[in-house]
Amino acid sequence: MLTPPPLSLYLHLPWCIAKCPYCDFNSHALAGELPEGDYIDALLADLEVDLPRVWGRTLSSIFIGGGTPSLFSADAIDRLLSGVRARLALAPDAEITMEANPGAVEHDRFEGYRAAGVNRISLGVQSFDNEQLKRLGRIHSATEASRAIEAVTRAGFERFNLDLMWALPGQTIEQALADLEQALAFEPRHLSHYQLTIEPNTVFAARPPELPEEEIIWDMQQTCQERLLDAGLTSYEISAWAAPGQASRHNLNYWCFGDYLGIGAGAHGKITLPAKGHILRTRRKSHPRPYLKAQENGSFIAEEAIVPDEQLPFEYFLNRFRLDQPVPWTEFETRTGLDRERIAESMDRARELGLIDSDETCIFRTARGKRYLNDLQALFLPR
């Protein structure tokens, strides 16, 4: 039976100082003055569009992403979060994360963000190597990255994430490990450690850099993973490492097929509607200009569609199998509204290939299933 899962809120702030050549997110280089006040007004008006679909539900987490949200002042973030609280109930222990980039934030703003209610910072460091930062199009230096981390901890944020990339152009195993050592020196309780991949419609796709060979990438991954384990961090998701109890609750809700309101230019949302017996996907207008203009008539939504039943198993397992934890059958059934018999054929094939095990209560992804994750996920595509 279809049951509402936990509910999160994603707020997208789309501007950056410059667009990085590897980035395929909906972000836009800032030209002129930041329309801070108008955009906060638009976000709150946009949120009201979705309110009738989630009446009575409580937010378990908020994530302010981008773009570069730290371009916005602490006062703007305070007004945004105050507006959210006036419209939706927040759990007493709600996780409220904001992304920030070194070089795109005045360090004393972190105190202001914390006073506004942000209780977790995700800092886009990417590398501590100045040459790599230039190749990646980052606007900060290694020194600025270190100072930003120090400013985050000085502001009193006990929970913060560092984004760190590996398999960078020309990078050696020793260089990747040196980056990791510098990150670990700050004792982060959460680290997003992810491989640089070339995405379509990016500058790197048009002019690909020379990346390390596959054998070096594999050895780099194994070496870095061993060091992360030695540091007391656990890989609870393919690219996410955390100390005990420090996993990102917001991201866990995504990966467990939870619900989330997607508010802001280009934001995507997912809302379970048990009374109607379906799950709804939404997408907002992508470019900031038409998105801001949508305040005139509330036309923020560019697209919305019901997820067909035959697509639900793939959508569920696409993210769920990224987690290093068993999948309860009850979670699959309540969050998709489907009986387990609907996926019997795919399950049998996955077992034959050694990608999963299962019993009456749970599905278990094997080590082989983790290594060949794409193949495992593809077994649940509609036929």
Side-chain angles (χ1 to χ4, degrees):
M1 179 179 180
L2 194 61
T3 304
L7 177 67
S8 296
L9 170 63
Y10 176 75
L11 298 159
H12 191 71
L13 280 56
W15 288 281
C16 291
I17 292 176
K19 181 85 170 180
C20 296
Y22 59 85
C23 179
D24 67 338
F25 296 159
N26 182 43
S27 58
H28 302 266
L30 183 62
E33 187 176 349
L34 182 71
E36 188 175 79
D38 287 346
Y39 195 72
I40 298 299
D41 290 341
L43 288 172
L44 295 176
D46 186 5
L47 178 58
E48 292 190 357
V49 173
D50 272 347
L51 289 184
R53 294 165 168 162
V54 294
W55 285 128
R57 297 179 65 179
T58 299
L59 289 176
S60 61
S61 66
I62 299 174
F63 195 101
I64 306 171
T68 306
S70 53
L71 290 174
F72 282 66
S73 68
D75 286 344
I77 299 300
D78 182 43
R79 187 161 77 85
L80 174 60
L81 292 177
S82 295
V84 172
R85 292 187 194 96
R87 292 163 173 81
L88 282 168
L90 267 68
D93 63 344
E95 177 189 87
I96 304 177
T97 302
M98 192 185 89
E99 290 183 332
N101 281 331
V105 62
E106 298 168 16
H107 291 169
D108 59 357
R109 279 189 181 178
F110 286 118
E111 285 84 355
Y113 295 142
R114 189 163 180 266
V118 176
N119 54 32
R120 184 175 180 272
I121 292 289
S122 182
L123 200 60
V125 173
Q126 314 309 354
S127 177
F128 290 94
D129 182 312
N130 284 325
E131 288 303 313
Q132 289 291 0
L133 289 169
K134 288 177 184 176
R135 292 187 188 109
L136 294 172
R138 306 297 289 173
I139 64 168
H140 67 270
S141 66
T143 299
E144 287 174 314
S146 296
R147 287 175 180 166
I149 300 168
E150 290 165 356
V152 167
T153 57
R154 194 165 54 245
F157 286 97
E158 295 181 359
R159 301 188 71 219
F160 65 92
N161 167 67
L162 301 182
D163 279 349
L164 197 67
M165 301 176 76
W166 57 278
L168 302 178
Q171 190 177 47
T172 65
I173 295 172
E174 292 74 21
Q175 289 169 336
L177 195 57
D179 259 355
L180 188 55
E181 291 291 355
Q182 290 192 64
L184 292 174
F186 292 100
E187 300 182 346
R189 299 184 182 186
H190 193 285
L191 191 71
S192 294
H193 190 244
Y194 56 99
Q195 179 183 348
L196 172 63
T197 55
I198 306 302
E199 302 292 345
N201 304 315
T202 63
V203 172
F204 274 179
R207 297 189 295 277
E210 188 173 344
L211 300 181
E213 296 179 0
E214 285 299 319
E215 185 176 340
I216 293 175
I217 289 175
W218 175 254
D219 290 342
M220 190 181 293
Q221 181 179 23
Q222 298 307 303
T223 302
C224 289
Q225 286 182 355
E226 289 173 9
R227 180 64 187 95
L228 286 161
L229 289 170
D230 287 343
L233 302 181
T234 301
S235 171
Y236 69 94
E237 188 269 342
I238 295 296
S239 302
W241 294 75
Q246 296 300 314
S248 166
R249 290 179 232 156
H250 186 87
N251 287 341
L252 276 175
N253 194 39
Y254 285 154
W255 294 323
C256 290
F257 209 53
D259 279 356
Y260 49 95
L261 304 178
I263 304 300
H268 291 248
K270 168 190 172 282
I271 307 171
T272 301
L273 300 170
K276 296 185 177 181
H278 62 240
I279 293 170
L280 189 70
R281 292 283 191 186
T282 62
R283 181 179 62 82
R284 264 50 184 182
K285 291 178 176 177
S286 296
H287 198 279
R289 282 197 297 272
Y291 179 82
L292 284 165
K293 188 173 176 58
Q295 288 185 80
E296 297 173 2
N297 55 12
S299 60
F300 297 100
I301 297 176
E303 183 180 7
E304 61 180 36
I306 296 168
V307 182
D309 283 357
E310 59 270 19
Q311 187 73 25
L312 283 169
F314 176 71
E315 291 216 7
Y316 175 82
F317 286 118
L318 179 65
N319 285 323
R320 193 58 175 80
F321 276 143
R322 291 179 63 90
L323 294 176
D324 277 351
Q325 57 182 237
V327 182
W329 277 113
T330 53
E331 183 185 284
F332 169 77
E333 292 172 337
T334 58
R335 297 196 179 184
T336 64
L338 303 176
D339 187 88
R340 67 185 71 181
E341 293 304 316
R342 292 286 294 268
I343 58 170
E345 184 179 338
S346 298
M347 289 289 296
D348 288 343
R349 183 59 179 152
R351 284 192 205 92
E352 289 171 8
L353 294 171
L355 303 176
I356 63 164
D357 291 319
S358 65
D359 58 24
E360 285 302 308
T361 61
C362 290
I363 306 166
F364 307 89
R365 188 197 63 192
T366 64
R368 180 178 175 82
K370 181 176 182 177
R371 183 169 182 180
Y372 298 101
L373 180 62
N374 290 344
D375 296 321
L376 172 58
Q377 292 162 331
L379 291 175
F380 295 88
L381 283 166
R383 287 177 171 76

